[in-house]
Structures are given as C-alpha cells and as structure tokens.
Amino acid sequence: MSVESRLDTMNTTTWCAHDKCTYSPLSLDATLNALVAASFGAVGQRCMALHTVVFVGDSKSWEDKLLERAKALKVNSGTKPDADLGPVINKEAKERICKLIQNGVESGARLVLDGRNIVVPGYEHGNFIGPTILSDVMADMECYKEKIFGPVYFAFRRTTLMRP
C-alpha cells in the first residue's frame, strides 16, 4: 500500500467515506465541524489551515453537508461579534485568491460554492471573500500547487487508498 501526501506547507487530510475502512467510523457532525473550522477559520490565512481533503468512497453526502455548513458562515468585519469570517489581509491577497479560484475553474475543478463576489454592507470595497469550495481538484492544478491563504477548500475524490 502506498500513501500519497504532501510534505510541505499544504495541509491535507483523508476521510474514508465508505464501510470498508479499517478504523472506527467517524462522527459525521464532529468531522464536518472540524473541516469547516480548519478550512475557513482565520479566513484560511494561517499556516495550519486545512485547505485539502481527500474523500475515499462516496463523498456526496459529506459534500452536501459541508456546503450547508459553509453557506451558514457569516462574513463581516472582524469587529462584529457574530462574524465567522472577516476580510483577507489586503487587496493583493484578495486578487491572488480570486485568481487561483478562477484558475481551478478554468482547469476543470467544479465550483461548489463561490465566495468571490460577496459584499459586506458598510464595507462594499473591503477585501472580503466568502467560503469557497472547489471539488474534483487535480494535483497538477495551479490552485492546488500554490498555497492559497484564503477561505478556500479543495476536495479530491478517490475510490480507494490503493494505487492502481
């Protein structure tokens, strides 16, 4: 058996979504909450942000529930007590993140949730990006190869952990 992983600053996790896993089943709610917090917390602008997950098996129900949770996150100024996500650090960071998201779309990734055009009342020209989910991402895509430092989550799907 071989394990595929990145040994750099890109943090990746693997979730087994079928009943042939050799470890105990995961709590769906706890796992989804952890994925949302790790992917979108601190607007994804931290070295320990988890931007990539590899789903093994049928992940459609997981993706639907993750989308539901991501859509519920509130984007606002960082000074508002109910804000889940604030702005990214500056205009250049926002432009870079948007460029990498667009690269993923143009390279064939499926845009499940697009946070690029979010407008926060009172901060219409702010550097806000809402939660974004790209699925069917491939390892050769620029959006995956570059550390994105934004609220963007990449999903890979595999039928097995074994290489052919």
Side-chain angles (χ1 to χ4, degrees):
M1 177 163 124
S2 67
V3 175
E4 199 172 317
S5 66
R6 290 188 62 149
L7 300 175
D8 59 14
T9 60
M10 292 289 284
N11 301 307
T12 303
T13 190
T14 302
W15 297 107
C16 192
H18 59 70
D19 60 2
K20 293 183 175 50
C21 295
T22 58
Y23 49 88
S24 60
L26 302 167
S27 162
L28 180 62
D29 282 336
T31 301
L32 290 168
N33 290 339
L35 283 172
V36 168
S39 298
F40 304 122
V43 198
Q45 296 181 113
R46 59 182 175 194
C47 293
M48 293 306 296
L50 178 67
H51 291 290
T52 306
V53 67
V54 179
F55 285 113
V56 180
D58 181 18
S59 62
K60 181 68 174 133
S61 66
W62 287 65
E63 188 176 274
D64 290 344
K65 290 179 186 332
L66 184 65
L67 174 62
E68 190 178 296
R69 282 174 167 77
K71 281 182 172 180
L73 294 173
K74 294 180 185 135
V75 180
N76 212 322
S77 79
T79 60
K80 302 283 184 185
D82 67 340
D84 295 308
L85 285 87
V88 295
I89 194 163
N90 57 33
K91 181 180 178 181
E92 291 77 18
K94 180 181 178 180
E95 289 170 353
R96 181 180 176 280
I97 294 164
C98 289
K99 178 182 163 245
L100 288 168
I101 294 168
Q102 187 60 35
N103 168 267
V105 172
E106 290 171 0
S107 298
R110 185 169 48 92
L111 190 59
V112 177
L113 181 61
D114 190 353
R116 292 177 291 179
N117 297 315
I118 194 158
V119 176
V120 175
Y123 302 93
E124 288 79 5
H125 300 288
N127 300 314
F128 296 95
I129 297 180
T132 300
I133 300 173
L134 284 170
S135 192
D136 304 328
V137 174
M138 304 302 275
D140 63 346
M141 293 179 178
E142 182 183 356
C143 66
Y144 173 71
K145 293 190 289 186
E146 295 292 323
K147 181 76 172 167
I148 199 160
F149 282 110
V152 181
Y153 163 90
F154 303 118
F156 285 76
R157 289 198 187 117
R158 300 292 181 262
T159 56
T160 179
L161 286 173
M162 303 297 286
R163 283 196 167 191

